[in-house]
Amino acid sequence: MTSRTGPKPPRPPVVSLPELRPHDGPLEPEGDYDGEVFTSLDLTGADAPGARFLDCALRGVTLDEAGLRGARLTDCVLDGVRGVGTNLVNARLQDVECADPRLGGVLLHGASLSRVRVRGGKLDYVNLRAATLTDVTFEGCVLVEPDLAGARLTRVAFRDCVLRDVDLTGAVLADVDLRELAELSPVRGVERLAGATITPTQLLDLAPAFAGYLGVRVEP
């Protein structure tokens, strides 16, 4: 029997959209959206807590300050979605493909992401505190100051991504793969990297943070 090397990879999302109907109206609280496509809609300030999206596509949609607390997105495709201050607290995303997002200050506190893949784009100051990420892949995207304090990450991979100033305070990691990061800058909560896999070069880059945590003074 051969022993497994490296972290378990994330399971990819399984999305197979049916023929979609165009949706042109606003979003409604507790609204049910099944098999619909939202194209180039400006949903700034939408108030739709608890909305449910099944087999839907959101393409070029603007979600600035949209209220989607507790929303459910299942078997969905998000393409070119833009949003600043979007409220997705306690949202549930399962089997979601997200391409080229431009999101800033999005609230995903307590959210659950399962079998989600994010490709390209930029995520600034995304609040994922106490969120649960399972089978999540980030590919070719830039993440600036993501807040993962208290989050649980299981089978999460970052591939050809830039990860700047991530906060892992109190986070729990298992099978998290950081080896293919293009850039890994200072990490808050560096002691919570137990459960992650890094390269020897990354270890050297993180050595000052590890020394600081351990109280080790390094002098020439």
Side-chain angles (χ1 to χ4, degrees):
M1 178 181 295
T2 58
S3 60
R4 179 178 60 89
T5 60
K8 293 180 181 177
R11 293 177 293 176
V14 180
V15 183
S16 180
L17 295 179
E19 184 174 349
L20 302 177
R21 305 182 308 277
H23 180 97
D24 298 319
L27 299 181
E28 299 179 355
E30 302 290 337
D32 278 311
Y33 306 100
D34 188 348
E36 300 185 48
V37 57
F38 302 73
T39 304
S40 301
L41 294 182
D42 186 352
L43 298 175
T44 297
D47 182 23
R52 292 171 292 275
F53 301 85
L54 175 64
D55 291 330
C56 287
L58 282 71
R59 306 186 190 279
V61 172
T62 300
L63 293 169
D64 291 346
E65 305 295 338
L68 293 167
R69 186 184 185 97
R72 303 289 188 270
L73 288 85
T74 306
D75 300 325
C76 289
V77 170
L78 312 180
D79 190 359
V81 172
R82 306 294 190 262
V84 175
T86 309
N87 186 344
L88 284 161
V89 171
N90 294 328
R92 298 290 181 268
L93 284 69
Q94 181 172 323
D95 287 312
V96 171
E97 290 271 10
C98 182
D100 195 29
R102 292 290 188 276
L103 301 173
V106 172
L107 303 177
L108 281 158
H109 183 101
S112 173
L113 284 67
S114 177
R115 294 193 300 273
V116 173
R117 178 160 48 203
V118 181
R119 293 182 290 108
K122 188 176 183 184
L123 309 176
D124 288 321
Y125 315 110
V126 175
N127 183 344
L128 283 157
R129 280 180 169 253
T132 301
L133 286 71
T134 306
D135 294 311
V136 176
T137 305
F138 296 93
E139 297 179 353
C141 54
V142 176
L143 298 95
V144 178
E145 294 192 38
D147 189 347
L148 289 160
R152 300 185 68 90
L153 287 72
T154 304
R155 294 187 300 278
V156 176
F158 297 85
R159 296 169 180 157
D160 195 28
C161 293
V162 171
L163 185 59
R164 295 177 183 154
D165 297 315
V166 59
D167 189 350
L168 294 173
T169 305
V172 178
L173 280 59
D175 289 307
V176 173
D177 195 345
L178 303 176
R179 294 173 297 175
E180 295 183 47
L181 278 171
E183 178 185 327
L184 175 61
S185 66
V187 176
R188 281 168 284 170
V190 68
E191 72 280 5
R192 309 305 295 189
L193 281 172
T197 302
I198 61 176
T199 66
T201 299
Q202 289 169 333
L203 177 60
L204 292 175
D205 292 339
L206 293 170
F210 283 122
Y213 169 70
L214 293 172
V216 176
R217 187 167 60 191
V218 181
E219 296 181 356

Short mmCIF file of all heavy atoms in Angstrom, two decimals, residues 28-91:
data_model
loop_
_atom_site.label_atom_id
_atom_site.label_comp_id
_atom_site.label_asym_id
_atom_site.label_seq_id
_atom_site.Cartn_x
_atom_site.Cartn_y
_atom_site.Cartn_z
N GLU A 28 -36.88 39.64 -5.40
CA GLU A 28 -37.84 39.78 -4.31
C GLU A 28 -37.39 38.99 -3.10
O GLU A 28 -36.74 37.94 -3.23
CB GLU A 28 -39.22 39.28 -4.76
CG GLU A 28 -39.81 40.05 -5.94
CD GLU A 28 -41.17 39.50 -6.35
OE1 GLU A 28 -41.59 38.47 -5.77
OE2 GLU A 28 -41.78 40.08 -7.25
N PRO A 29 -37.73 39.44 -1.90
CA PRO A 29 -37.42 38.66 -0.70
C PRO A 29 -38.03 37.26 -0.79
O PRO A 29 -39.18 37.10 -1.23
CB PRO A 29 -38.07 39.47 0.43
CG PRO A 29 -38.14 40.87 -0.10
CD PRO A 29 -38.40 40.72 -1.57
N GLU A 30 -37.23 36.26 -0.41
CA GLU A 30 -37.65 34.86 -0.46
C GLU A 30 -38.05 34.41 -1.86
O GLU A 30 -38.78 33.42 -2.03
CB GLU A 30 -38.83 34.61 0.50
CG GLU A 30 -38.56 34.96 1.94
CD GLU A 30 -37.57 34.02 2.61
OE1 GLU A 30 -37.43 32.88 2.14
OE2 GLU A 30 -36.95 34.43 3.61
N GLY A 31 -37.59 35.11 -2.88
CA GLY A 31 -37.96 34.76 -4.25
C GLY A 31 -37.35 33.44 -4.68
O GLY A 31 -36.24 33.08 -4.28
N ASP A 32 -38.08 32.71 -5.52
CA ASP A 32 -37.60 31.45 -6.08
C ASP A 32 -37.30 31.66 -7.56
O ASP A 32 -38.20 32.02 -8.34
CB ASP A 32 -38.65 30.34 -5.93
CG ASP A 32 -38.62 29.71 -4.55
OD1 ASP A 32 -37.54 29.33 -4.09
OD2 ASP A 32 -39.70 29.62 -3.93
N TYR A 33 -36.05 31.38 -7.96
CA TYR A 33 -35.63 31.57 -9.34
C TYR A 33 -35.05 30.25 -9.83
O TYR A 33 -34.03 29.79 -9.32
CB TYR A 33 -34.62 32.71 -9.44
CG TYR A 33 -35.15 33.99 -8.82
CD1 TYR A 33 -34.77 34.36 -7.53
CD2 TYR A 33 -36.06 34.78 -9.49
CE1 TYR A 33 -35.27 35.50 -6.94
CE2 TYR A 33 -36.58 35.92 -8.92
CZ TYR A 33 -36.18 36.27 -7.64
OH TYR A 33 -36.71 37.40 -7.05
N ASP A 34 -35.71 29.65 -10.80
CA ASP A 34 -35.35 28.31 -11.26
C ASP A 34 -35.19 28.34 -12.78
O ASP A 34 -36.14 28.65 -13.51
CB ASP A 34 -36.44 27.32 -10.85
CG ASP A 34 -36.07 25.86 -11.13
OD1 ASP A 34 -35.08 25.63 -11.83
OD2 ASP A 34 -36.78 24.97 -10.64
N GLY A 35 -33.98 28.01 -13.26
CA GLY A 35 -33.75 27.93 -14.69
C GLY A 35 -33.85 29.27 -15.39
O GLY A 35 -34.36 29.35 -16.51
N GLU A 36 -33.34 30.33 -14.76
CA GLU A 36 -33.42 31.67 -15.34
C GLU A 36 -32.02 32.23 -15.54
O GLU A 36 -31.07 31.88 -14.86
CB GLU A 36 -34.23 32.60 -14.43
CG GLU A 36 -35.67 32.14 -14.21
CD GLU A 36 -36.49 33.13 -13.41
OE1 GLU A 36 -36.44 34.34 -13.75
OE2 GLU A 36 -37.17 32.72 -12.46
N VAL A 37 -31.91 33.16 -16.52
CA VAL A 37 -30.65 33.83 -16.77
C VAL A 37 -30.85 35.32 -16.54
O VAL A 37 -31.81 35.93 -17.01
CB VAL A 37 -30.13 33.55 -18.20
CG1 VAL A 37 -31.14 33.96 -19.27
CG2 VAL A 37 -28.78 34.23 -18.41
N PHE A 38 -29.94 35.90 -15.76
CA PHE A 38 -29.94 37.33 -15.45
C PHE A 38 -28.77 37.92 -16.22
O PHE A 38 -27.61 37.61 -15.93
CB PHE A 38 -29.75 37.56 -13.96
CG PHE A 38 -30.80 36.91 -13.09
CD1 PHE A 38 -30.82 35.53 -12.91
CD2 PHE A 38 -31.77 37.67 -12.46
CE1 PHE A 38 -31.77 34.94 -12.09
CE2 PHE A 38 -32.74 37.09 -11.65
CZ PHE A 38 -32.74 35.72 -11.48
N THR A 39 -29.05 38.78 -17.20
CA THR A 39 -28.01 39.28 -18.09
C THR A 39 -27.89 40.80 -18.00
O THR A 39 -28.87 41.52 -18.25
CB THR A 39 -28.29 38.88 -19.55
OG1 THR A 39 -28.43 37.46 -19.64
CG2 THR A 39 -27.15 39.33 -20.46
N SER A 40 -26.71 41.28 -17.61
CA SER A 40 -26.38 42.72 -17.59
C SER A 40 -27.42 43.53 -16.81
O SER A 40 -27.70 44.68 -17.18
CB SER A 40 -26.26 43.25 -19.03
OG SER A 40 -25.26 42.55 -19.73
N LEU A 41 -27.93 42.99 -15.75
CA LEU A 41 -28.91 43.71 -14.93
C LEU A 41 -28.20 44.50 -13.85
O LEU A 41 -27.22 44.05 -13.26
CB LEU A 41 -29.90 42.74 -14.29
CG LEU A 41 -30.84 41.97 -15.21
CD1 LEU A 41 -31.79 41.10 -14.38
CD2 LEU A 41 -31.63 42.92 -16.09
N ASP A 42 -28.71 45.70 -13.57
CA ASP A 42 -28.22 46.49 -12.45
C ASP A 42 -29.14 46.25 -11.26
O ASP A 42 -30.25 46.77 -11.21
CB ASP A 42 -28.20 47.97 -12.82
CG ASP A 42 -27.56 48.84 -11.73
OD1 ASP A 42 -27.27 48.29 -10.63
OD2 ASP A 42 -27.34 50.04 -11.96
N LEU A 43 -28.67 45.43 -10.34
CA LEU A 43 -29.46 45.08 -9.17
C LEU A 43 -28.93 45.78 -7.92
O LEU A 43 -29.04 45.28 -6.80
CB LEU A 43 -29.47 43.56 -8.97
CG LEU A 43 -30.08 42.76 -10.13
CD1 LEU A 43 -29.92 41.26 -9.90
CD2 LEU A 43 -31.57 43.12 -10.30
N THR A 44 -28.37 46.97 -8.12
CA THR A 44 -27.86 47.76 -7.01
C THR A 44 -28.95 48.00 -5.97
O THR A 44 -30.07 48.42 -6.32
CB THR A 44 -27.32 49.11 -7.51
OG1 THR A 44 -26.22 48.88 -8.40
CG2 THR A 44 -26.87 49.99 -6.36
N GLY A 45 -28.64 47.71 -4.73
CA GLY A 45 -29.59 47.96 -3.65
C GLY A 45 -30.76 46.99 -3.60
O GLY A 45 -31.72 47.23 -2.86
N ALA A 46 -30.71 45.91 -4.37
CA ALA A 46 -31.82 44.94 -4.34
C ALA A 46 -32.01 44.42 -2.92
O ALA A 46 -31.06 44.19 -2.18
CB ALA A 46 -31.52 43.80 -5.29
N ASP A 47 -33.27 44.21 -2.55
CA ASP A 47 -33.60 43.71 -1.21
C ASP A 47 -34.25 42.34 -1.38
O ASP A 47 -35.45 42.24 -1.62
CB ASP A 47 -34.55 44.68 -0.50
CG ASP A 47 -34.89 44.23 0.91
OD1 ASP A 47 -34.09 43.46 1.50
OD2 ASP A 47 -35.95 44.63 1.43
N ALA A 48 -33.45 41.29 -1.27
CA ALA A 48 -33.96 39.95 -1.54
C ALA A 48 -33.37 38.93 -0.58
O ALA A 48 -32.77 37.93 -1.01
CB ALA A 48 -33.67 39.56 -2.99
N PRO A 49 -33.52 39.14 0.73
CA PRO A 49 -33.00 38.13 1.66
C PRO A 49 -33.71 36.80 1.47
O PRO A 49 -34.92 36.76 1.19
CB PRO A 49 -33.31 38.74 3.04
CG PRO A 49 -34.45 39.68 2.79
CD PRO A 49 -34.23 40.23 1.41
N GLY A 50 -32.95 35.71 1.60
CA GLY A 50 -33.55 34.39 1.48
C GLY A 50 -33.90 33.97 0.07
O GLY A 50 -34.56 32.95 -0.13
N ALA A 51 -33.46 34.73 -0.94
CA ALA A 51 -33.76 34.35 -2.33
C ALA A 51 -33.07 33.03 -2.66
O ALA A 51 -31.99 32.72 -2.16
CB ALA A 51 -33.31 35.44 -3.29
N ARG A 52 -33.71 32.23 -3.53
CA ARG A 52 -33.19 30.92 -3.90
C ARG A 52 -33.02 30.85 -5.41
O ARG A 52 -33.97 31.09 -6.16
CB ARG A 52 -34.13 29.82 -3.40
CG ARG A 52 -34.17 29.70 -1.89
CD ARG A 52 -35.26 28.75 -1.41
NE ARG A 52 -36.61 29.29 -1.66
CZ ARG A 52 -37.23 30.12 -0.83
NH1 ARG A 52 -36.64 30.51 0.29
NH2 ARG A 52 -38.44 30.56 -1.10
N PHE A 53 -31.79 30.51 -5.82
CA PHE A 53 -31.44 30.41 -7.24
C PHE A 53 -31.04 28.96 -7.53
O PHE A 53 -30.09 28.45 -6.94
CB PHE A 53 -30.28 31.34 -7.58
CG PHE A 53 -30.55 32.80 -7.30
CD1 PHE A 53 -30.34 33.31 -6.03
CD2 PHE A 53 -30.99 33.64 -8.30
CE1 PHE A 53 -30.56 34.66 -5.76
CE2 PHE A 53 -31.23 34.98 -8.04
CZ PHE A 53 -31.02 35.50 -6.75
N LEU A 54 -31.77 28.32 -8.42
CA LEU A 54 -31.49 26.94 -8.81
C LEU A 54 -31.34 26.88 -10.33
O LEU A 54 -32.22 27.35 -11.07
CB LEU A 54 -32.63 26.02 -8.36
CG LEU A 54 -32.54 24.55 -8.80
CD1 LEU A 54 -31.31 23.87 -8.20
CD2 LEU A 54 -33.82 23.79 -8.43
N ASP A 55 -30.23 26.30 -10.79
CA ASP A 55 -29.98 26.18 -12.24
C ASP A 55 -30.10 27.54 -12.92
O ASP A 55 -30.82 27.69 -13.92
CB ASP A 55 -30.96 25.19 -12.88
CG ASP A 55 -30.70 23.76 -12.46
OD1 ASP A 55 -29.54 23.42 -12.18
OD2 ASP A 55 -31.67 22.97 -12.39
N CYS A 56 -29.42 28.54 -12.38
CA CYS A 56 -29.48 29.89 -12.91
C CYS A 56 -28.10 30.36 -13.37
O CYS A 56 -27.07 29.82 -12.96
CB CYS A 56 -30.01 30.86 -11.85
SG CYS A 56 -31.78 30.70 -11.50
N ALA A 57 -28.11 31.39 -14.23
CA ALA A 57 -26.87 32.04 -14.66
C ALA A 57 -27.01 33.54 -14.43
O ALA A 57 -28.04 34.14 -14.78
CB ALA A 57 -26.58 31.76 -16.12
N LEU A 58 -25.99 34.14 -13.81
CA LEU A 58 -25.93 35.58 -13.63
C LEU A 58 -24.73 36.07 -14.43
O LEU A 58 -23.59 35.74 -14.11
CB LEU A 58 -25.77 35.96 -12.15
CG LEU A 58 -27.02 35.89 -11.26
CD1 LEU A 58 -27.45 34.45 -11.02
CD2 LEU A 58 -26.78 36.60 -9.93
N ARG A 59 -24.98 36.85 -15.47
CA ARG A 59 -23.93 37.27 -16.39
C ARG A 59 -23.88 38.80 -16.46
O ARG A 59 -24.86 39.44 -16.85
CB ARG A 59 -24.17 36.69 -17.78
CG ARG A 59 -24.36 35.17 -17.80
CD ARG A 59 -24.44 34.62 -19.22
NE ARG A 59 -24.84 33.22 -19.26
CZ ARG A 59 -24.04 32.20 -19.05
NH1 ARG A 59 -22.76 32.43 -18.78
NH2 ARG A 59 -24.47 30.95 -19.11
N GLY A 60 -22.75 39.36 -16.06
CA GLY A 60 -22.59 40.82 -16.12
C GLY A 60 -23.52 41.56 -15.20
O GLY A 60 -23.86 42.72 -15.48
N VAL A 61 -23.92 40.95 -14.10
CA VAL A 61 -24.87 41.56 -13.18
C VAL A 61 -24.13 42.42 -12.16
O VAL A 61 -23.06 42.06 -11.68
CB VAL A 61 -25.70 40.47 -12.46
CG1 VAL A 61 -26.55 41.05 -11.35
CG2 VAL A 61 -26.57 39.75 -13.48
N THR A 62 -24.72 43.57 -11.79
CA THR A 62 -24.17 44.46 -10.77
C THR A 62 -24.97 44.29 -9.49
O THR A 62 -26.21 44.40 -9.50
CB THR A 62 -24.23 45.92 -11.23
OG1 THR A 62 -23.47 46.08 -12.43
CG2 THR A 62 -23.67 46.85 -10.16
N LEU A 63 -24.25 44.03 -8.39
CA LEU A 63 -24.91 43.74 -7.11
C LEU A 63 -24.42 44.67 -6.01
O LEU A 63 -24.36 44.29 -4.84
CB LEU A 63 -24.65 42.28 -6.71
CG LEU A 63 -25.28 41.20 -7.60
CD1 LEU A 63 -24.72 39.82 -7.23
CD2 LEU A 63 -26.80 41.21 -7.44
N ASP A 64 -24.13 45.91 -6.33
CA ASP A 64 -23.67 46.86 -5.32
C ASP A 64 -24.72 47.01 -4.22
O ASP A 64 -25.89 47.32 -4.50
CB ASP A 64 -23.40 48.23 -5.95
CG ASP A 64 -22.19 48.23 -6.87
OD1 ASP A 64 -21.41 47.27 -6.83
OD2 ASP A 64 -22.03 49.20 -7.63
N GLU A 65 -24.26 46.81 -2.96
CA GLU A 65 -25.12 46.99 -1.78
C GLU A 65 -26.41 46.16 -1.85
O GLU A 65 -27.40 46.49 -1.20
CB GLU A 65 -25.49 48.47 -1.59
CG GLU A 65 -24.31 49.40 -1.51
CD GLU A 65 -23.45 49.15 -0.27
OE1 GLU A 65 -23.97 48.59 0.69
OE2 GLU A 65 -22.26 49.54 -0.29
N ALA A 66 -26.39 45.08 -2.62
CA ALA A 66 -27.58 44.22 -2.70
C ALA A 66 -27.72 43.42 -1.40
O ALA A 66 -26.75 42.94 -0.85
CB ALA A 66 -27.49 43.29 -3.89
N GLY A 67 -28.96 43.28 -0.92
CA GLY A 67 -29.23 42.54 0.30
C GLY A 67 -29.67 41.12 -0.01
O GLY A 67 -30.85 40.88 -0.32
N LEU A 68 -28.72 40.19 0.06
CA LEU A 68 -29.01 38.79 -0.26
C LEU A 68 -28.69 37.89 0.92
O LEU A 68 -28.27 36.74 0.76
CB LEU A 68 -28.20 38.36 -1.49
CG LEU A 68 -28.58 39.04 -2.81
CD1 LEU A 68 -27.53 38.78 -3.87
CD2 LEU A 68 -29.94 38.57 -3.29
N ARG A 69 -28.90 38.40 2.10
CA ARG A 69 -28.62 37.63 3.31
C ARG A 69 -29.39 36.31 3.28
O ARG A 69 -30.59 36.27 3.00
CB ARG A 69 -29.03 38.43 4.54
CG ARG A 69 -28.65 37.78 5.86
CD ARG A 69 -29.19 38.59 7.04
NE ARG A 69 -28.72 38.01 8.29
CZ ARG A 69 -27.67 38.44 8.97
NH1 ARG A 69 -26.99 39.48 8.51
NH2 ARG A 69 -27.31 37.86 10.10
N GLY A 70 -28.67 35.20 3.56
CA GLY A 70 -29.32 33.90 3.60
C GLY A 70 -29.73 33.36 2.25
O GLY A 70 -30.51 32.40 2.18
N ALA A 71 -29.22 33.93 1.16
CA ALA A 71 -29.59 33.44 -0.17
C ALA A 71 -29.02 32.04 -0.41
O ALA A 71 -28.08 31.62 0.24
CB ALA A 71 -29.07 34.39 -1.25
N ARG A 72 -29.66 31.30 -1.34
CA ARG A 72 -29.21 29.97 -1.71
C ARG A 72 -28.94 29.95 -3.21
O ARG A 72 -29.81 30.28 -4.00
CB ARG A 72 -30.28 28.92 -1.38
CG ARG A 72 -30.71 28.88 0.08
CD ARG A 72 -29.60 28.31 0.95
NE ARG A 72 -30.04 28.09 2.31
CZ ARG A 72 -29.97 28.98 3.29
NH1 ARG A 72 -29.49 30.20 3.03
NH2 ARG A 72 -30.36 28.69 4.51
N LEU A 73 -27.72 29.57 -3.59
CA LEU A 73 -27.37 29.42 -4.99
C LEU A 73 -26.90 27.98 -5.21
O LEU A 73 -25.89 27.55 -4.64
CB LEU A 73 -26.25 30.38 -5.40
CG LEU A 73 -26.62 31.87 -5.51
CD1 LEU A 73 -26.53 32.55 -4.15
CD2 LEU A 73 -25.71 32.59 -6.50
N THR A 74 -27.65 27.25 -6.02
CA THR A 74 -27.37 25.83 -6.25
C THR A 74 -27.32 25.57 -7.75
O THR A 74 -28.23 25.98 -8.49
CB THR A 74 -28.44 24.94 -5.61
OG1 THR A 74 -28.58 25.28 -4.22
CG2 THR A 74 -28.08 23.47 -5.72
N ASP A 75 -26.25 24.90 -8.21
CA ASP A 75 -26.09 24.60 -9.63
C ASP A 75 -26.20 25.87 -10.46
O ASP A 75 -27.02 25.97 -11.38
CB ASP A 75 -27.14 23.57 -10.09
CG ASP A 75 -27.03 22.26 -9.35
OD1 ASP A 75 -25.91 21.86 -9.02
OD2 ASP A 75 -28.07 21.64 -9.08
N CYS A 76 -25.36 26.85 -10.14
CA CYS A 76 -25.43 28.15 -10.80
C CYS A 76 -24.09 28.54 -11.42
O CYS A 76 -23.04 28.05 -11.01
CB CYS A 76 -25.85 29.23 -9.79
SG CYS A 76 -27.58 29.13 -9.27
N VAL A 77 -24.16 29.43 -12.41
CA VAL A 77 -22.99 30.00 -13.05
C VAL A 77 -23.03 31.51 -12.86
O VAL A 77 -24.05 32.15 -13.16
CB VAL A 77 -22.96 29.66 -14.56
CG1 VAL A 77 -21.86 30.45 -15.26
CG2 VAL A 77 -22.76 28.17 -14.78
N LEU A 78 -21.94 32.07 -12.35
CA LEU A 78 -21.80 33.52 -12.21
C LEU A 78 -20.67 33.96 -13.12
O LEU A 78 -19.55 33.49 -12.99
CB LEU A 78 -21.49 33.89 -10.75
CG LEU A 78 -22.35 33.27 -9.65
CD1 LEU A 78 -21.90 33.75 -8.29
CD2 LEU A 78 -23.82 33.59 -9.88
N ASP A 79 -20.95 34.88 -14.02
CA ASP A 79 -19.95 35.28 -15.01
C ASP A 79 -19.88 36.81 -15.04
O ASP A 79 -20.86 37.48 -15.38
CB ASP A 79 -20.35 34.75 -16.40
CG ASP A 79 -19.25 34.93 -17.43
OD1 ASP A 79 -18.19 35.49 -17.08
OD2 ASP A 79 -19.45 34.52 -18.59
N GLY A 80 -18.71 37.34 -14.66
CA GLY A 80 -18.53 38.79 -14.71
C GLY A 80 -19.40 39.55 -13.73
O GLY A 80 -19.77 40.70 -14.00
N VAL A 81 -19.71 38.95 -12.60
CA VAL A 81 -20.54 39.61 -11.60
C VAL A 81 -19.73 40.69 -10.90
O VAL A 81 -18.57 40.48 -10.53
CB VAL A 81 -21.09 38.59 -10.59
CG1 VAL A 81 -21.79 39.29 -9.43
CG2 VAL A 81 -22.04 37.63 -11.28
N ARG A 82 -20.34 41.86 -10.68
CA ARG A 82 -19.70 42.98 -10.00
C ARG A 82 -20.50 43.29 -8.74
O ARG A 82 -21.72 43.21 -8.73
CB ARG A 82 -19.65 44.22 -10.89
CG ARG A 82 -19.01 44.00 -12.26
CD ARG A 82 -17.52 43.69 -12.13
NE ARG A 82 -16.84 43.71 -13.41
CZ ARG A 82 -16.56 42.64 -14.13
NH1 ARG A 82 -16.94 41.44 -13.72
NH2 ARG A 82 -15.91 42.73 -15.27
N GLY A 83 -19.77 43.67 -7.68
CA GLY A 83 -20.50 44.02 -6.47
C GLY A 83 -19.60 44.64 -5.42
O GLY A 83 -18.49 44.16 -5.18
N VAL A 84 -20.07 45.72 -4.80
CA VAL A 84 -19.40 46.34 -3.67
C VAL A 84 -20.39 46.34 -2.51
O VAL A 84 -21.52 46.82 -2.64
CB VAL A 84 -18.95 47.78 -3.99
CG1 VAL A 84 -18.36 48.45 -2.75
CG2 VAL A 84 -17.93 47.79 -5.13
N GLY A 85 -19.95 45.78 -1.38
CA GLY A 85 -20.81 45.78 -0.20
C GLY A 85 -22.02 44.87 -0.30
O GLY A 85 -23.00 45.04 0.43
N THR A 86 -21.97 43.87 -1.15
CA THR A 86 -23.08 42.93 -1.27
C THR A 86 -23.21 42.11 0.01
O THR A 86 -22.23 41.61 0.54
CB THR A 86 -22.85 41.98 -2.46
OG1 THR A 86 -22.55 42.75 -3.63
CG2 THR A 86 -24.07 41.12 -2.73
N ASN A 87 -24.43 41.99 0.51
CA ASN A 87 -24.67 41.26 1.77
C ASN A 87 -25.10 39.83 1.45
O ASN A 87 -26.24 39.58 1.04
CB ASN A 87 -25.76 41.96 2.58
CG ASN A 87 -25.94 41.34 3.96
OD1 ASN A 87 -25.49 40.22 4.22
ND2 ASN A 87 -26.59 42.06 4.86
N LEU A 88 -24.17 38.90 1.65
CA LEU A 88 -24.44 37.48 1.48
C LEU A 88 -24.18 36.72 2.78
O LEU A 88 -23.80 35.55 2.77
CB LEU A 88 -23.57 36.91 0.35
CG LEU A 88 -24.01 37.26 -1.08
CD1 LEU A 88 -22.88 37.05 -2.06
CD2 LEU A 88 -25.23 36.43 -1.49
N VAL A 89 -24.42 37.39 3.89
CA VAL A 89 -24.22 36.76 5.20
C VAL A 89 -25.10 35.51 5.30
O VAL A 89 -26.29 35.53 4.92
CB VAL A 89 -24.58 37.76 6.33
CG1 VAL A 89 -24.58 37.05 7.69
CG2 VAL A 89 -23.58 38.91 6.34
N ASN A 90 -24.50 34.43 5.77
CA ASN A 90 -25.20 33.14 5.95
C ASN A 90 -25.75 32.57 4.64
O ASN A 90 -26.65 31.73 4.66
CB ASN A 90 -26.33 33.26 6.97
CG ASN A 90 -25.81 33.55 8.36
OD1 ASN A 90 -24.73 33.11 8.74
ND2 ASN A 90 -26.59 34.30 9.14
N ALA A 91 -25.20 32.99 3.51
CA ALA A 91 -25.63 32.43 2.22
C ALA A 91 -25.10 31.01 2.07
O ALA A 91 -24.17 30.59 2.77
CB ALA A 91 -25.15 33.31 1.07
#
